[in-house]
Amino acid sequence: MTGTPAQTSQRTSRIGATDLGFAAPGGPPGRKASGTGRSARRAGTTFRHLGAGLAVGALAFTVAACGGHKAKPTGPVGLSVTRGQQTSVPFSSAGGDVILTMKTASPEASWGTMGSESAVLSLSVDNKYTSDVVIATKFAASRSIDLGDLTAGSHTLTVKFDDDRSPSGTKTANVTDLKFSTLAATDAGYTASQFAPIVYGRSGQGATADINGPFQTAVTDTPMVAFHTETQSTTPGDTIYRYSVVYSDEDGATSVPEMLAQWGRSAEINWVYQVEVDASGKAVPGSAMVRGQDGSTVPYTGGFEGTHPVIQTCGLTNDVCGKTDGQMRYTLSVVDNIDPENEAPESIMDNNPWTYWMMSQELIREGKTAEDPLDDPSANPTKSAGDPRSYLYLVLRKSTQGTTPNTDNAWVGVTIGIKLAGNPTIYRSDLGVAKWSLRRDEPAATAIALPPGSVADDIEQIRAIRVVGAGRDTKAKVQIESIERAFFLDADYLPQASFLFAPVQGTLTAANPAVTLLDRANGPIIRPSGSATPTDGTGATPSPTSTSLLPGITIGPSLHNPFGGATTAPDATVAATAKASSTPKPESTPTS
């Protein structure tokens, strides 16, 4: 996965911009990812770990201290590179695809601060440009880069602080815990890595006048992590590999609240490339596809470096085209294998918690949040997102059952309703916009906007509400199967551990469209273990549907009164304001 060094004299206009003063948290290094309920299915790869040799160039390395008189360290614990400088690190390959894992940080970087968004390192292997690494955090973030298929023997990694593509406010980049691992042909994950795309960053005009040119992914919509999925082809023995990239944001999104409602994030997860591979490990001719400019699947006709397609992010919605004028290059490791039938794609973010921090900081820097859009009469919660720390990030597992399947013209979905103690409002994940409900029948992430300062202990009830998302009511039932995970972001915008895995079940029908999945009156809301069992056999109780919201959408108070006395709670009110309900609904739907 090596190319020729990028040559350009053009600079992003963001360099030298004024500091807006958004401070990055001093988050702890090595922070553990939040739980996802079910254990994430990973590639199960056996890596051959090879120590990096130490080469002292213009910059100083931090070398592991020897314990007593024991053997000397096999390589550097870390290195520090200052603006415009570079150094080299010798390493060895056992012959195969080499994955570089490391932790990166920059003391001056803050993705939320204009002019200091990142420090960019350019990596070269044996003098061939391989990948850029955008370092956006002061705290150590774990990164994984594919260095390509390398012959057995000695190689050299060159690490350069790239002055032309780094915002002017950053001066130092620190890299620790370097580890070079070789994937051999017999290892799981090797085939997926062999066909992984090389992604060049977006170029040309950006979302605003000061974000444009070939280096804009140093400050916006940057590729953070990647993964792949595997499905069996209709041809026996063949496997379809699909590759996806997680971008820090989507500048072309119609509505950030819509993204959060439908996908549980404002970061963009887009599949970018897929190919069918036969039983012998060769790509099937004509099977290469990319995500086109309108989100469609189109044949790939661009170039390759060996077996790796060379593609470019094009347009503000992070779709794909063949490489044109891209300058920033990304060879993110795709070893992580996600099975969408068993875990939400957002689990890749859960396992890289710094991605939530970047997502949040980009929202704040770009002015896409309001302090409290739910309660501020001057704000519109369907247009402005709230503080990312005020959302409940939840994954729901469900299935739609009926003789008429969901189609684009007529479908039934589910929205999640949250009731807080002492508050009659039902805070809905779809904010009262029917087509923002959850349509897909696989573990689906959503984010529910709650009042600032809300915590898990405040949650009194979690409800599921059947919604006619588009067209006529198909009369399909929706079976709720479980809540896979739920967490809030902490004060530093990093995900806390998941506090909920609940195999709650409930059936939603046209006649009975709402159920209470969890109620504090029946048992604890905080259930971090997968062993939690429902208290009444199903874990769900029917909810009256007396409060009309929109045609085909109803919500109702719980059968339980947390205040004692009568069994009827106060009338529920929708979290979205009347102003939001009367606002024209966005026409486009974000894609995953």
Side-chain angles (χ1 to χ4, degrees), residues 58-72:
L59 306 175
F61 286 82
T62 303
V63 183
C66 296
H69 59 278
K70 294 186 178 182
K72 294 182 179 180

Side-chain angles (χ1 to χ4, degrees), residues 393-407:
Y393 298 84
L394 180 144
V395 171
L396 180 75
R397 183 186 290 266
K398 70 176 184 68
S399 61
T400 306
Q401 302 170 357
T403 56
T404 304
N406 281 339
T407 67

